[in-house]
Amino acid sequence: MRISKDGPPPGEHEPEQLEARLAARLATLRTEQGWSLDELARQTGISRSTLSRLERAEISPTAALLGKLCSAYRRTMSQLLAEVESEPPQLVPAGRQAVWRDEASGFTRRSVSPPHPGLRGEVVEGILRPGADISYDGPPVPGLEQHIWVLEGELEVTAGDREHPLRAGDCLRLRLWGRSRFRNPGAGPVRYAVLVVLP
């Protein structure tokens, strides 16, 4: 997963700096929990060697790996990523919204309205290329409320055992308790917005 900013970058090495801060934050979170790499591997199903390389910033996490780590640390992906950013401003100009790209899975995620102290909601834009299929073992926080609004294309969302086919303009409202899956069954990319509300 590559972390970047759209628009004029504040520094040539900003994506690399963010990835290094993310790696350090992941190591700190594990230490704060008192977990060894082996314990975290047992909890997430991610191999010890992969976890070690993630924490040393030798590899970039995929969306699926980051989702498993967020579940273990009981954070949304946006919360975790906001922890490696400087304090977020109230106004988030389009060119300063953080964008995370997972080329392997065909997923692009823009933090339109990142987490902010005192606020329970956040807005995320997702783009899935045709055929992209991402599964999550569970929400980072049980009962996480999401409102998924398809802006362009087709999206198939599976929550638990229920499949929801969505087209442009459709909005799916749900609370996540178990596994979920986002799939693009269409011939073109799908773009959607997600409003996340913490319980």
Side-chain angles (χ1 to χ4, degrees):
M1 174 180 284
R2 297 296 297 174
I3 304 173
S4 65
K5 301 275 191 182
D6 283 354
E12 183 180 334
H13 303 293
E14 180 69 11
E16 289 78 11
Q17 292 170 358
L18 286 172
E19 287 189 4
R21 290 199 300 266
L22 175 59
R25 183 61 183 145
L26 290 172
T28 299
L29 285 169
R30 181 175 57 78
T31 302
E32 287 173 354
Q33 295 292 327
W35 296 338
S36 66
L37 284 170
D38 289 325
E39 174 61 24
L40 185 57
R42 279 192 293 276
Q43 291 199 34
T44 61
I46 303 171
S47 74
R48 185 187 190 283
S49 62
T50 298
L51 290 169
S52 177
R53 294 182 69 201
L54 283 172
E55 290 184 4
R56 293 195 313 265
E58 293 178 359
I59 59 173
S60 295
T62 64
L65 286 178
L66 210 51
K68 290 179 179 182
L69 289 167
C70 285
S71 292
Y73 295 129
R74 298 181 66 81
R75 284 164 164 75
T76 66
M77 194 178 298
S78 291
Q79 283 176 313
L80 175 63
L81 294 170
E83 291 172 9
V84 301
E85 292 273 349
S86 56
E87 187 173 330
Q90 288 187 315
L91 174 64
V92 187
R96 295 292 300 146
Q97 294 167 7
V99 177
W100 298 271
R101 291 181 177 87
D102 182 357
E103 299 298 339
S105 65
F107 176 50
T108 300
R109 184 180 196 280
R110 176 186 295 274
S111 187
V112 178
S113 177
H116 191 281
L119 301 177
R120 292 176 46 214
E122 60 188 84
V123 180
V124 173
E125 177 192 53
I127 299 175
L128 290 177
R129 69 179 174 226
D133 192 337
I134 301 175
S135 294
Y136 299 98
D137 292 336
V141 179
L144 186 68
E145 180 181 341
Q146 290 190 349
H147 300 251
I148 304 164
W149 181 27
V150 178
L151 304 172
E152 300 173 20
E154 300 175 49
L155 179 66
E156 186 179 278
V157 177
T158 303
D161 296 327
R162 188 157 179 203
E163 189 177 286
H164 305 274
L166 306 171
R167 298 187 182 279
D170 292 348
C171 182
L172 174 65
R173 303 179 297 176
L174 56 104
R175 285 191 180 273
L176 289 175
W177 298 97
R179 296 180 58 85
S180 62
R181 177 183 178 197
F182 288 68
R183 188 175 81 84
N184 179 355
V190 59
R191 187 170 69 91
Y192 56 96
V194 182
L195 170 63
V196 179
V197 182
L198 293 175

